[in-house]
Structure formats: structure tokens, C-alpha cells
Amino acid sequence: MNSAKSVTANFIKVYNISASADAGGTVSCPNCGLSVPSGTAVKATATANAGYEFGSWSGGPCSGNTSPICSFTAGSSQSMTAQFSRITYSLSTSVSSGSGTVSGGGSYNSDSSATVRATHSDGYEFSGWGGTYAGRPNPFTLTMDGDKSVSASFTLSTQTLTTTVNSGYGSFDCSTNGGSSYSPCPSTYSGGTSVNIRALPSSGYAFGSWQDCGNTVGNVCSGVVMNRPRSVSVNFANSPCAPTLATA
């Protein structure tokens, strides 16, 4: 100090900048976590993890912005959070023909597994899946990597009718769906058909009783619905004086 000296201190305004990410992604921000001078350019970039998508920023100068890049000039302290959400896809199910239901439809997270199952109504059977899923088993599982649509078709099933004479002698004839015209009973029917079965005693015999028939009207087993294999039997009684039963 051989002469008078003058020293001047210059100060600059600095701000604290912070950026974070909630579950589902990360944030890159070189200037974040530091005290930066006023006027510094700040850039924060949000990156979603697999199966997630960026939603918006919360807090800070980009609050509510749906762009994953937040750029601003430091003019005050800022704290902001990048928000992410799971990507979801829709699985829709339908029945293209016949009667039945398909389960498994709904909303699924990206890349999760969904199982679809077809269930036939009475008198029907599952015949197959439509479109790109033709040939798949029932049920089957698919990966939800996009919106999906699955349809199932059902066809009328064929069901067997077995008629048996337990005792005595006689025969049967049948009518279908409430009709009054009777003819010899076939051994199979389309699923869902309603059958009336009439027991016809041979000469010298009388109608006795039905077995395995839920609704009887005299010698007629009425309204047998062929939604599964059916079996009915009858007993005829030896009766030389048997009453005459309707055969028309």
C-alpha cells in the first residue's frame, strides 16, 4: 500500500432452480439444483418411462404446459415437477353371431395381459373368434400394446334325445315348438328346440307313467328344451281294457 486504493465489489442476483419427476419418468435439467444468475437460460426435459406418457408440468413457469420441454429465463427461484401417467388401452368385446357372452373387455395398462373368454347360451356352442384372432383357443390371452377389439361367434348346438320304454310295449312320437303335428321322434334336435314327446301304448297296454320328465300332461311329456342331451322313459301297463289315447 504505497498509495490510496479503491476496491469495488459487484454482486449479481442468483436464483435457485429445481426440477423433479413423479413416478413414471425422469427430468434432465443441467442448471437445476444450482443457484443460477438472473437471465440464465434454463431448459428442463421430461422423459417418460416405458408404459408411461408425459402429462404436464406442475409448478414453475411451465405449470400446466403439456410439452415435455420447459424452457425459460431465470428471473426468480423456481420449483417444478414433471407429471406422468400410465398409458392405457381399451379392449372391446362383442358377439358377431348366435347367442352368448364374451368377458374380459375393459381398460388395461400398456403391455399388460388380458384374457378373453366366450360363454355360450343354452342351445348354442362357441364356434370361433373373428378377424385376426381366428383359430385362437377359448379362452385366450393377448398383450395390450394398443386398442383391441375381439368378437366371438356361436352356432346352434345339436342335442340328442333318448326315449326308452322301461316296461310294457309302446312307442313315441314328437312335435316341436308347441306344434300339434306329431311324427316319429328324431334322435337329434337343434339346440333350444322345445319338444313335446307323446307316449303311445301298443294294443293291450295303457300308459302308465313318465320318468325324467319335468312337465307331464297325461301321456305327453311337454316342453322338453333341447339345451343339453335329454333322456326320458315311460312305463306302459298291461291292460286289455286300456282307454283309447289321442293319436291324431
Side-chain angles (χ1 to χ4, degrees):
M1 292 297 293
N2 54 8
S3 64
K5 305 290 184 181
S6 176
V7 177
T8 300
N10 294 314
F11 297 92
I12 59 173
K13 189 72 173 178
V14 295
Y15 301 106
N16 294 321
I17 308 295
S18 66
S20 60
D22 65 10
T26 59
V27 171
S28 172
C29 181
N31 290 327
C32 292
L34 304 173
S35 295
V36 299
S38 177
T40 300
V42 179
K43 180 180 179 180
T45 303
T47 303
N49 294 338
Y52 287 80
E53 61 186 355
F54 176 74
S56 64
W57 294 99
S58 174
C62 296
S63 184
N65 195 330
T66 58
S67 169
I69 298 176
C70 176
S71 298
F72 61 95
T73 300
S76 62
S77 294
Q78 302 288 349
S79 177
M80 51 193 176
T81 302
Q83 299 177 317
F84 302 89
S85 60
R86 289 297 300 260
I87 297 173
T88 60
Y89 293 113
S90 175
L91 173 61
S92 61
T93 60
S94 61
V95 175
S96 58
S97 63
S99 180
T101 59
V102 181
S103 63
S107 180
Y108 291 87
N109 289 333
S110 172
D111 295 320
S112 61
S113 295
T115 299
V116 290
R117 182 187 302 271
T119 302
H120 62 81
S121 299
D122 285 347
Y124 286 82
E125 59 189 4
F126 172 70
S127 57
W129 301 106
T132 58
Y133 304 108
R136 295 286 189 95
N138 181 34
F140 77 95
T141 300
L142 66 161
T143 300
M144 293 301 295
D145 53 5
D147 291 331
K148 308 281 186 179
S149 180
V150 179
S151 64
S153 59
F154 301 90
T155 56
L156 285 169
S157 59
T158 299
Q159 304 294 346
T160 58
L161 173 65
T162 302
T163 54
T164 305
V165 176
N166 288 333
S167 61
Y169 292 92
S171 60
F172 303 90
D173 59 9
C174 295
S175 70
T176 58
N177 298 321
S180 59
S181 178
Y182 282 81
S183 60
C185 301
S187 59
T188 61
Y189 287 90
S190 294
T193 302
S194 176
V195 182
N196 289 344
I197 307 167
R198 187 168 57 179
L200 305 174
S202 297
S203 178
Y205 286 84
F207 169 76
S209 62
W210 288 103
Q211 289 183 305
D212 302 316
C213 177
N215 185 29
T216 63
V217 182
N219 65 323
V220 176
C221 180
S222 177
V224 179
V225 179
M226 298 301 296
N227 54 11
R228 58 182 174 83
R230 298 287 187 174
S231 178
V232 297
S233 60
V234 70
N235 297 308
F236 294 112
N238 191 333
S239 177
C241 299
T244 301
L245 297 174
T247 59

